[in-house]
Amino acid sequence: MRDPWAIWASEVILQQTTVAAGAPRWERFLARFPTVDALAAAPEREVLAEWSGLGYYARARNLHRAARIVAASGGAVPASVEGLRALPGVGPYTAAAVASIAFGVPVPLVDGNVARVLARLLAIPGDVRSGAARAAVEDAASGFLDRRFPGEHNQALMELGALVCLPRAPRCTECPIADACRARAAGDPERFPAPRRRKAPVRVRLAAGVAFRSGRLVLVEDEHLVPGHLVVPLAPVEGDAGAAAALAAAWPSLAGRRAARLEPAGRVRHSVLERRYDVEVFRVDEGAAAPGARPRLLGTAELSRAPLGGLTRKVLAVSGATPSEEPPARGRRGSPPPTRIGG
C-alpha cells in the first residue's frame, strides 16, 4: 500500500495546478505537514500560508477540515470510495484516485486526460464534462479498467493523456492503443472531445492601498477574492467613479484611519476563475484615527509566513514594497504625483 495521505494531498494540489508547478509545492507541503495529524493540528492561517500561490484556497480549507475529521477518528485515511467521499472537498475523482492508487480498490477515475483518451478511443461526440458524453466516458472507463491493478491502470491512462494523447498535435505514432483508436481512424483525432463552452469573463475594478504603520504593512481580511485570506485594503470601484476617491472613502472602515494622501503606484491584473480583476494600486499615507476595523500589522518576518495570495503579491511588487523590504521612499523619480485628500 502506498501512503494514502501523500496521494490525497497530491491529488488536491494538482486539481487546479500543473504537475510542473505542483510537484515541488507538494513536496514542501508534505515536509511541513507529513501526516494527516500534523495538518489537523495546524491553525488554518498556517495552512493557508503554506498554500499561498497555489490559488483556489477552498481546496486548502476543505483539506484542513477533512484532516481534522480523519484525525478525530483515529488518523487513518478511509480506504473506501464511500468513506473518502464523506470528507469535505473530496469528489468522485479524488476519492477514486486515493482508493485505487493507495488501497487497490478496483474503481476507475476520470480526469481531463483520461476523458480525452477515451473520447478519442471510442470517438465519443460532445462535451465530455457533462451529459451523455460524460456518461459514455465513465462507462468506458469502467469497462476498460484492469481490476487486478487498478492504481497502475489509472495512472498509466492519465500519463497516456498527459504525454501522448495531447489536446493539440497528439503523438499518435507513439500511442500503444493507436490501432484501436476510432478518432485516429477517422483522420481527425483533435475533433474529440468537443471543446467546452467557456463562460464570459466577469470584469471587476478594485482600488488597492499599500500603507505602513511603524514599518509594518497594513493588511485586512479579504472580502473580494479569498475570504479569510490577508490582503492589502481593497475597495470596489463602481461605474465611472475614480479609484482614488473610492479607496479614500473606504479606508477608514477598512483600516481604522483616514487616508491623508494617495500616491498612484501602478496597475495590476489578476484572474480567479471567470473573474478578471483590474486593480489600481496606491501608496497610502494615513492620517488620524477613525471608526472602523482594526487591521493586521505585519512586519518582515511575519509577512514571510502570512497567507498572501497572488493579487497581494502583485500589488506589493508594483508598489515597490515586498514582504522582504521596508516601506518604499516617497517621491521617487518617475512616480506619478500624489493625490491629497481633504486639501
Side-chain angles (χ1 to χ4, degrees), residues 69-153:
I69 292 171
V70 171
S73 301
V77 176
S80 68
V81 170
E82 296 75 18
L84 290 161
R85 286 294 309 276
L87 297 173
V90 178
Y93 170 80
T94 301
V98 176
S100 65
I101 298 171
F103 300 106
V105 177
V107 56
L109 61 87
V110 179
D111 69 352
N113 289 321
V114 171
R116 183 169 58 257
V117 170
L118 295 177
R120 287 174 176 171
L121 182 67
L122 301 177
I124 297 172
D127 182 354
V128 295
R129 297 170 183 82
S130 62
R134 177 70 183 185
V137 165
E138 290 177 347
D139 287 344
S142 181
F144 198 48
L145 179 68
D146 184 337
R147 298 180 179 277
R148 297 169 302 163
F149 307 104
E152 290 82 353
H153 172 95

Side-chain angles (χ1 to χ4, degrees), residues 78 115 142 169 180 197-198 205 259 300 318 323:
S142 181
R197 292 182 179 178
R198 297 189 178 276
R205 289 180 65 203
T300 299
V318 82

Side-chain angles (χ1 to χ4, degrees), residues 1-19:
M1 182 185 71
R2 300 179 181 181
D3 182 0
W5 164 236
I7 294 168
W8 180 14
S10 73
E11 292 301 333
V12 174
I13 287 173
L14 294 176
Q15 283 173 8
Q16 300 288 346
T17 307
T18 65
V19 173

Side-chain angles (χ1 to χ4, degrees), residues 45 48-50 52 57 228-231 303 305-309 313:
R45 193 171 296 283
L48 293 178
E50 185 58 45
S52 181
Y57 289 88
H229 221 144
L230 290 176
V231 295
L303 280 169
R305 299 188 301 270
L308 303 180
R313 295 183 186 279

Side-chain angles (χ1 to χ4, degrees), residues 244 260-265 282-283 285 330-331 335-341:
R261 185 179 79 156
L262 273 66
E263 178 184 349
F282 298 86
R283 303 184 190 95
D285 286 341
R330 300 294 183 184
S335 297
T339 300
R340 295 191 178 276
I341 307 301

